[in-house]
Amino acid sequence: MIARRLHWASINEITFVAGMRLMFWICRVFGRWPFRVMLYPVLCWYVLSKPRPRRASQAYLRRVASYTSTAAPGVLRHFAAFGESILDKMLLWSGLFKLDTVDVHGGDLIVDAAAAGRGGLVICAHLGNLELCRVLSRRRHDIKLTVLVHTKHAQAFNDMLARLNPASQLNLLQVTEMSPATAMLLSERVVRGEFVVIAGDRIPVSHNPRVALADFMGAPAPFPVGPYVLANLLQCPVFLLFSIRQGRRSALYFEAFRDAVRIPRQDRDAAFQQLAGDYARRLEHYCLRAPLQWFNFYDFWHLAQLERSDAPR
């Protein structure tokens, strides 16, 4: 059971992306279908040789099938969607992705706020291809983003993107712990009308992560409270962002979440659970629309350090 409880940050993705430079070259020279033909042998090797991500994918897909009363998709299809997402990120930062194939829903929420000089917090998920929001913000509306990431476990992939386009690293901020200095820096950027982007579906990289349990796909799962602690500090509008691929087109969905988040001194746990639950319901909605595009290849529903239902103070 210990192996299944491995933290997501210790699951190294280097072996999966090691062959993507060759695959990217195949796509550029021969097109997407030859890329897909070559992708499946790589996927078969990865799925057979990496039991933890394979088991996590199987468990997630079984939950989707049970929750929707449908047949469970195959693990290979799940990893194929991941490979397609990696390719899209590489195409984006090499300037080869057709941005006119991206539909933006609710984008006026962000555009209007930026035009009025109001910044905000955007809570996203590991669903689809969120690199689209960074590229679109630079090319279409001059919206300034700061994306909070923990990328040390995937340094090879980020180095590969940097070789394709150094600009891919410009608005990333490496954050493991939210220090007072980091919070002050982010507050200053929001006051200037910029936006901070943080994922809401991965627990913090710490020994005792602060989490709240929320129902997700029919079972309680731990969600980080960090985004809501940050929202409480920033006192700014909070938005949600989800990305999914639909056939040959991609879509970004922006939603208003809260005008502001205020966490009371009393009943903090209840406030965190309400916020995490509201986020989990929207994540579930989009995951069910594109179940193969949620890329959390670890035991999402179990947290070894958490054996109770409330979020630590």
Side-chain angles (χ1 to χ4, degrees), residues 183-199:
M184 184 176 298
L185 171 67
L186 297 177
S187 179
E188 292 171 352
R189 294 186 180 185
V190 169
V191 168
R192 294 199 300 263
E194 300 180 19
F195 294 84
V196 176
V197 182
I198 185 172

Side-chain angles (χ1 to χ4, degrees), residues 15-296:
T15 54
F16 185 84
V17 302
M20 289 304 296
R21 292 179 65 185
L22 172 61
M23 305 297 289
F24 176 60
W25 178 84
I26 290 173
C27 181
R28 291 187 63 176
V29 175
F30 299 106
R32 195 145 194 147
W33 275 108
F35 161 83
R36 289 170 175 162
V37 171
M38 296 298 296
L39 176 64
Y40 272 87
V42 177
L43 292 175
C44 289
W45 170 83
Y46 186 84
V47 169
L48 290 173
S49 63
K50 301 296 177 183
R52 292 190 185 107
R54 182 182 68 242
R55 287 195 297 262
S57 174
Q58 290 171 334
Y60 162 67
L61 295 176
R62 282 196 297 267
R63 287 186 183 275
V64 171
S66 175
Y67 194 64
T68 59
S69 300
T70 59
V75 171
L76 269 179
R77 290 181 59 198
H78 194 191
F79 282 95
F82 184 44
E84 296 267 359
S85 176
I86 290 177
L87 174 63
D88 283 343
K89 292 177 182 181
M90 298 173 71
L91 292 173
L92 273 167
W93 289 113
S94 62
L96 299 175
F97 192 94
K98 296 180 180 179
L99 291 180
D100 58 1
T101 65
V102 181
D103 301 315
V104 181
H105 303 273
D108 289 346
L109 293 169
I110 303 297
V111 174
D112 292 347
R118 299 193 306 271
L121 179 68
V122 180
I123 305 177
C124 64
H126 291 83
L127 178 72
N129 184 3
L130 287 170
E131 298 291 325
L132 290 170
C133 78
R134 290 207 287 148
V135 174
L136 287 172
S137 72
R138 294 171 61 84
R139 295 188 179 180
R140 293 193 176 183
H141 304 298
D142 195 30
I143 296 171
K144 295 183 179 180
L145 303 176
T146 297
V147 183
L148 306 186
V149 295
H150 178 79
T151 58
K152 293 180 180 179
H153 69 296
Q155 193 59 49
F157 177 63
N158 287 279
D159 290 345
M160 181 170 59
L161 288 184
R163 285 193 291 270
L164 291 173
N165 187 341
S168 67
Q169 310 299 301
L170 289 181
N171 53 358
L172 298 178
L173 181 62
Q174 181 75 237
V175 174
T176 300
E177 297 286 346
M178 183 61 64
S179 67
T182 301
M184 184 176 298
L185 171 67
L186 297 177
S187 179
E188 292 171 352
R189 294 186 180 185
V190 169
V191 168
R192 294 199 300 263
E194 300 180 19
F195 294 84
V196 176
V197 182
I198 185 172
D201 62 343
R202 281 191 180 173
I203 59 176
V205 184
S206 62
H207 179 66
N208 290 307
R210 302 185 66 190
V211 299
L213 289 187
D215 286 337
F216 181 61
M217 297 290 182
F223 285 84
V225 303
Y228 316 113
V229 173
L230 181 59
N232 184 64
L233 291 172
L234 297 179
Q235 285 300 297
C236 64
V238 183
F239 307 92
L240 302 182
L241 169 60
F242 301 99
S243 169
I244 58 176
R245 186 180 180 91
Q246 300 168 305
R248 296 184 178 182
R249 302 189 66 81
S250 300
L252 291 172
Y253 293 89
F254 290 92
E255 297 184 359
F257 187 64
R258 296 287 194 278
D259 291 333
V261 170
R262 292 178 175 82
I263 305 297
R265 291 185 178 276
Q266 301 295 326
D267 296 326
R268 289 170 59 86
D269 297 341
F272 285 138
Q273 287 179 346
Q274 179 67 52
L275 290 161
D278 290 347
Y279 168 83
R281 280 188 288 274
R282 299 312 297 157
L283 174 62
E284 181 179 278
H285 170 78
Y286 287 101
C287 281
L288 292 177
R289 292 183 62 179
L292 294 175
Q293 297 178 39
W294 190 56
F295 306 129
N296 270 332

